[in-house]
């Protein structure tokens, strides 16, 4: 596998272009989208916290988002042919954080032969290189239905911190990210983890 596989670069470029710091305002206490309530049902919690369950248009995943996410698509020509990157972005008006899901399908022949670990390692390297960031930490993980994944956290020269969980499943690379400022990173850490934990692949293994 070579760096000519451009999806991680494309996704990173799209995400950097859509993430714009929101004007600073007094912040409400952050709410984790998966934090249980002892006396109220989960559905009521989500309505009150403005987190909504988002179902991917193609039914491949579900995730909690702050309202209806913005959707965008970019088509990029590569040596394997045209590759489409689908990006979903959600933001709260009073927080400097973007919640992002991005994915792309590789051509069928490549997707079937590719080594999942190599795909994830390449995605990590390209994300770090493209955003000119420093890697803070990384760990291996798996989706709830057993697909290989990797979590990375990195900070760029402008101080934005990205926590990214990547999964490779059935020829598709998923990236689930929260991008925020250093200032709000600690305040929103529980909310960010709750968002990342809410991502569920629906694809069968």
């Amino acid at each position: 596998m070579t760096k000519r596989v451009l999806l991680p670069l494309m996704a990173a470029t799209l995400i950097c272009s859509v993430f714009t710091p929101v004007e600073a305002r007094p912040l409400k206490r952050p709410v984790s989208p998966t934090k249980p309530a002892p006396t109220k049902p989960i559905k009521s919690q989500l309505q009150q916290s403005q987190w909504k369950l988002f179902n991917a248009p193609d039914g491949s995943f579900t995730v909690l988002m702050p309202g209806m996410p913005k959707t965008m698509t970019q088509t990029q020509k590569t040596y394997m042919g045209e590759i489409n990157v689908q990006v979903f972005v959600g933001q709260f008006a009073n927080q400097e954080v973007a919640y992002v899901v991005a994915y792309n399908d590789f051509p069928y022949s490549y997707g079937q032969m590719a080594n999942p670990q190599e795909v994830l390692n390449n995605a990590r390297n390209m994300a770090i290189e493209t955003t000119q960031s420093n890697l803070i930490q990384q760990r291996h993980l798996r989706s709830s239905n057993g697909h290989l994944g990797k979590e990375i956290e990195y900070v760029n020269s402008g101080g934005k911190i990205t926590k990214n969980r990547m999964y490779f499943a059935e020829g598709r690379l998923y990236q689930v990210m929260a991008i925020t400022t250093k200032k709000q990173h600690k305040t929103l850490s529980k909310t960010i983890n709750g968002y990342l934990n809410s991502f569920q692949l629906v694809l069968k293994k």
Side-chain angles (χ1 to χ4, degrees), residues 68 105 109 112 114 119 158 160 164 169 179 181:
M68 180 59 65
D105 292 302
S109 58
Q112 295 301 307
V119 173
K160 291 188 178 64
N164 182 349
I179 309 169
T181 60

Side-chain angles (χ1 to χ4, degrees), residues 9-169:
L9 184 150
M10 294 157 53
T13 301
L14 273 175
I15 293 159
C16 286
S17 68
V18 300
F19 177 69
T20 53
V22 181
E23 181 181 356
R25 303 176 186 175
L27 298 179
K28 297 179 180 180
R29 184 178 179 181
V31 179
S32 169
T34 56
K35 183 179 179 181
T39 58
K40 297 182 180 179
I42 294 295
K43 184 176 180 181
S44 175
Q45 275 191 86
L46 297 181
Q47 289 174 343
Q48 290 183 10
S49 65
Q50 299 181 341
W51 286 92
K52 306 295 181 182
L53 186 65
F54 174 71
N55 293 278
D58 66 355
S60 61
F61 69 86
T62 62
V63 67
L64 290 173
M65 278 282 192
M68 180 59 65
K70 295 180 181 178
T71 303
M72 60 196 74
T73 304
Q74 179 175 331
T75 301
Q76 181 70 40
K77 291 182 179 180
T78 75
Y79 79 100
M80 294 186 293
E82 290 189 346
I83 292 181
N84 295 323
V85 183
Q86 192 75 25
V87 183
F88 307 91
V89 182
Q91 288 183 278
F92 283 122
N94 64 339
Q95 295 179 359
E96 294 179 342
V97 57
Y99 300 97
V100 183
V101 178
Y103 69 76
N104 86 288
D105 292 302
F106 292 110
Y108 179 79
S109 58
Y110 177 84
Q112 295 301 307
M113 295 185 298
N115 181 298
Q117 192 60 61
E118 289 184 2
V119 173
L120 294 171
N121 287 342
N122 186 69
R124 173 201 60 202
N125 295 342
M126 292 297 288
I128 298 299
E129 179 181 330
T130 304
T131 59
Q132 299 182 342
S133 298
N134 293 317
L135 184 66
I136 300 173
Q137 60 183 357
Q138 63 178 326
R139 67 185 178 97
H140 298 294
L141 48 79
R142 287 187 179 273
S143 67
S144 59
N145 56 354
H147 292 288
L148 192 65
K150 181 186 289 290
E151 180 184 275
I152 60 175
E153 190 170 3
Y154 50 94
V155 57
N156 69 11
S157 59
K160 291 188 178 64
I161 298 176
T162 299
K163 195 165 188 178
N164 182 349
R165 289 185 183 176
M166 305 176 290
Y167 303 94
F168 184 65

